[in-house]
Amino acid sequence: DGVSLNPRFNFENFVVGKSNELAQAAARAVAREPGRTFNPLVIYSGVGLGKTHLVHAIGHVATACGMNVLYGTAERFTNEFIQSIQRGQTEDFRQKYRQVDVLLIDDIQFIAGKGQSQEAFFHTFNELHTANRQIVLTSDRPPKALTLMDDRLRSRFEGGLLVDIKTPELETRMAILNSKLEALGTYMPPDVLEFIARRVYKNVRELEGS
């Protein structure tokens, strides 16, 4: 009942460099042993640097191992929570989010400043964590910078492993472009690749688009 996992977002086509090697290693560890290490795992970075890719990759591995995985965004969590109140279906909402082995939530910063949504997520988090169910969150900034986030939630996020993804260095950007070309079954001269990689460096999506 969550958002479908993107089949292209897996560990095999995630290009690793110094900027993201810790995040990738942590994601692989969580995928191998969900709920046992790094719980919660919080991955943060600016837009377009691979957070969602890693979250989906974790989901694919966990699903292949027969685990019940739920992926969604914090915005979806909030909207479904509001709808459950309006329809008198809060128990259904509770069951959906708390009866999973792995909960993957993108853009957790969205619930900052939303009191009831934070309260609902706080109880969801506690129940899953107590049962050793894996929680993976992404954010556009570290938890301590989420100033409108409830202190109880921020404390719980910081009790896990926090990893950031930095802007990829030139070599990694070129490797990403090469990987994209291989997937497309086409060729581009190395000097053209370097030309693009040197000028587009803040966002992997923009890099691939170029």
Side-chain angles (χ1 to χ4, degrees):
D1 243 358
V3 179
S4 297
L5 295 170
N6 189 324
R8 296 187 300 107
F9 288 173
N10 53 58
F11 286 119
E12 285 63 42
N13 62 20
F14 186 82
V15 179
V16 182
K18 290 183 179 180
S19 59
N20 59 20
E21 60 186 354
L22 177 58
Q24 189 261 8
R28 279 190 177 275
V30 162
R32 286 194 300 266
E33 295 188 303
R36 297 184 184 181
T37 58
F38 312 142
N39 196 19
L41 171 63
V42 180
I43 304 172
Y44 65 93
S45 76
V47 298
L49 293 179
K51 300 186 298 295
T52 297
H53 190 136
L54 285 179
V55 168
H56 281 242
I58 293 170
H60 286 305
V61 173
T63 299
C65 292
M67 295 190 174
N68 183 9
V69 176
L70 178 61
Y71 165 77
T73 63
E75 180 178 12
R76 183 184 177 99
F77 179 91
T78 296
N79 291 339
E80 290 185 358
F81 175 62
I82 293 170
Q83 290 171 5
S84 74
I85 295 174
Q86 293 172 340
R87 298 170 182 171
Q89 298 173 338
T90 53
E91 182 58 28
D92 291 342
F93 173 85
R94 179 181 177 280
Q95 292 296 319
K96 173 180 176 177
Y97 280 93
R98 301 187 195 184
Q99 299 299 315
V100 296
D101 299 310
V102 180
L103 179 62
L104 312 169
I105 298 291
D106 247 334
D107 296 322
I108 194 61
Q109 75 275 357
F110 183 84
I111 68 171
K114 298 177 175 65
Q116 284 187 289
S117 295
Q118 290 187 84
E119 183 74 15
F121 192 77
F122 173 77
H123 292 297
T124 298
F125 183 104
N126 279 352
E127 189 160 327
L128 291 174
H129 194 268
T130 300
N132 293 319
R133 309 288 179 84
Q134 183 66 51
I135 303 162
V136 181
L137 310 171
T138 73
S139 174
D140 64 355
R141 71 205 87 156
K144 65 180 180 181
L146 298 173
T147 54
L148 295 179
M149 189 71 75
D150 187 290
D151 288 342
R152 298 177 303 169
L153 272 177
R154 193 163 56 236
S155 173
R156 278 157 177 74
F157 298 166
E158 292 175 340
L161 178 66
L162 312 180
V163 291
D164 68 329
I165 300 178
K166 299 179 176 64
T167 302
E169 59 283 350
L170 176 64
E171 293 81 1
T172 302
R173 298 198 299 275
M174 292 189 68
I176 290 169
L177 289 173
N178 273 310
S179 176
K180 185 72 172 179
L181 288 175
E182 287 179 12
L184 293 172
T186 189
Y187 170 79
M188 190 175 289
D191 58 334
V192 176
L193 285 182
E194 184 172 347
F195 178 86
I196 295 172
R198 285 189 178 280
R199 282 158 178 75
V200 183
Y201 55 88
K202 291 184 178 180
N203 186 311
V204 173
R205 290 194 205 117
E206 184 183 350
L207 183 67
E208 291 183 342
S210 296

